[in-house]
Amino acid sequence: MEMSVPQRPQIGSLPLRFGYSPADQAVWRKGDGSGLEYRSLGLADASQGLLDAQLVRAAKAGVRQGWYDPSDEFHYLQVLAGSLTLRTWDGERLTLTVGDAVVQPPFTLNPDVYEYSDDYEALEFASKGSFEHIDRFREKHGLTRTSEAPKEAVITHDTPETYITGDGPRSFFTYRDLGATAASNRRMHIHVVGIADQPPGGTGWHTHSMDQFFMPITGWLDIWVEGLGKVRMKRGDAMFIPAGIRHNVTEFTRDYTVVEACIPTDYDTLDATDPAQD
Ligand SMILES: [Fe+2]
């Protein structure tokens, strides 16, 4: 696919380049003999190493040593299929199933051993770096910390009560907060977005002041991105759009849901002109 999405001077919080990682071109690499396979979503390259995102899946049920790299400043995991059982520092067994998500600051969950089912699949975000770009962005815009990062992992579950209609830029979407906002000190907001009401002909052309990452979980959407054209995205297709890049979501299926990361948490959404009329 031709990619001539404009490279603008940095206006978001990350030095992010546009990126698209379709599921039908996925490269899965074998793990370390544990039976897990990994698919990089390309975010590390696009963000110059500040953030990373990957899908992980099990080729067979198993047990793995080492839950995550404790040097990660921020770690997020969302179960997309199957289940994962891990132990807390207190020795408690904790099982995460489809839709459960965990945000963990360093050293909060026991990195010793975890078990996964044969159909396990999850999305992970990690920050290896210091998030200093995001901190600088926040200072520049006078954003203050409204909460201190929790010392414990934050676990959320996919239940109907966790979805709030209109709790985001669009009144016709419903939003489930996945708990990253406080854990990241408002540097990243992660939510699942679904359709509450029939959208009035899509979102229209718009931009955000944040950098965003998103990947459909169910259903599909048609998105137009300036310089790229129209893409139909379905489960496992991941896209990252830098701040200021015009886009327009014109069509969704009724069962459409997407996981989206907004970096930083606080941002504006502005209507934009159709690039075809430039
Ligand atoms: Fe958008």
Side-chain angles (χ1 to χ4, degrees):
M1 177 175 289
E2 180 91 14
M3 284 217 201
S4 50
V5 176
Q7 298 296 326
R8 300 232 164 86
Q10 184 186 335
I11 59 172
S13 58
L14 294 172
L16 190 71
R17 291 191 303 271
F18 174 83
Y20 180 47
S21 174
D24 62 8
Q25 291 172 27
V27 176
W28 291 88
R29 69 179 164 79
K30 294 263 182 239
D32 38 19
S34 63
L36 291 175
E37 297 177 345
Y38 300 88
R39 172 187 161 204
S40 168
L41 298 175
L43 187 59
D45 283 346
S47 68
Q48 298 181 29
L50 284 175
L51 284 175
D52 200 0
Q54 66 177 3
L55 288 172
V56 53
R57 72 182 182 190
K60 60 182 189 319
V63 176
R64 190 185 188 284
Q65 295 279 333
W67 155 238
Y68 80 122
D69 181 346
S71 66
D72 285 351
E73 192 198 2
F74 175 83
H75 184 266
Y76 171 83
L77 182 143
Q78 180 177 353
V79 178
L80 300 175
S83 67
L84 172 72
T85 299
L86 53 113
R87 284 183 296 149
T88 66
W89 284 117
D90 301 331
E92 199 182 315
R93 281 169 66 87
L94 182 66
T95 296
L96 303 173
T97 57
V98 178
D100 294 344
V102 57
V103 179
Q104 55 170 341
F107 303 108
T108 50
L109 290 174
N110 192 330
D112 278 358
V113 176
Y114 60 91
E115 299 160 43
Y116 44 84
S117 62
D118 58 357
D119 55 349
Y120 172 63
E121 185 175 4
L123 169 67
E124 289 184 275
F125 285 109
S127 171
K128 300 280 180 203
S130 67
F131 264 122
E132 61 185 12
H133 285 78
I134 300 173
D135 280 336
R136 249 189 269 138
F137 176 90
R138 192 173 52 199
E139 282 160 23
K140 192 170 119 191
H141 293 274
L143 303 172
T144 52
R145 288 186 184 199
T146 57
S147 61
E148 287 302 314
K151 300 289 184 286
E152 294 185 349
V154 179
I155 296 167
T156 63
H157 306 281
D158 194 337
T159 59
E161 313 83 72
T162 58
Y163 286 85
I164 301 174
T165 297
D167 190 27
R170 309 288 172 191
S171 60
F172 52 82
F173 282 149
T174 187
Y175 298 86
R176 171 188 162 209
D177 181 354
L178 293 164
T181 300
S184 69
N185 275 317
R186 305 190 78 77
R187 292 174 294 200
M188 181 190 273
H189 180 78
I190 306 177
H191 53 195
V192 170
V193 185
I195 295 176
D197 300 310
Q198 197 56 41
T203 62
W205 284 95
H206 64 280
T207 62
H208 305 287
S209 61
M210 50 115 172
D211 300 302
Q212 73 182 145
F213 166 98
F214 59 98
M215 188 183 78
I217 302 171
T218 55
W220 55 258
L221 83 163
D222 281 345
I223 183 169
W224 292 76
V225 180
E226 67 172 305
L228 183 72
K230 185 174 87 167
V231 182
R232 177 159 294 181
M233 292 176 66
K234 57 188 184 323
R235 183 185 176 100
D237 296 334
M239 185 178 280
F240 12 104
I241 300 183
I245 296 298
R246 286 175 286 182
H247 55 284
N248 181 12
V249 182
T250 51
E251 217 178 316
F252 322 77
T253 52
R254 198 68 188 85
D255 63 341
Y256 168 68
T257 57
V258 65
V259 56
E260 179 181 62
C262 310
I263 309 157
T265 293
D266 304 289
Y267 62 90
D268 295 320
T269 298
L270 296 172
D271 289 338
T273 55
D274 180 345
Q277 284 157 20
D278 284 356

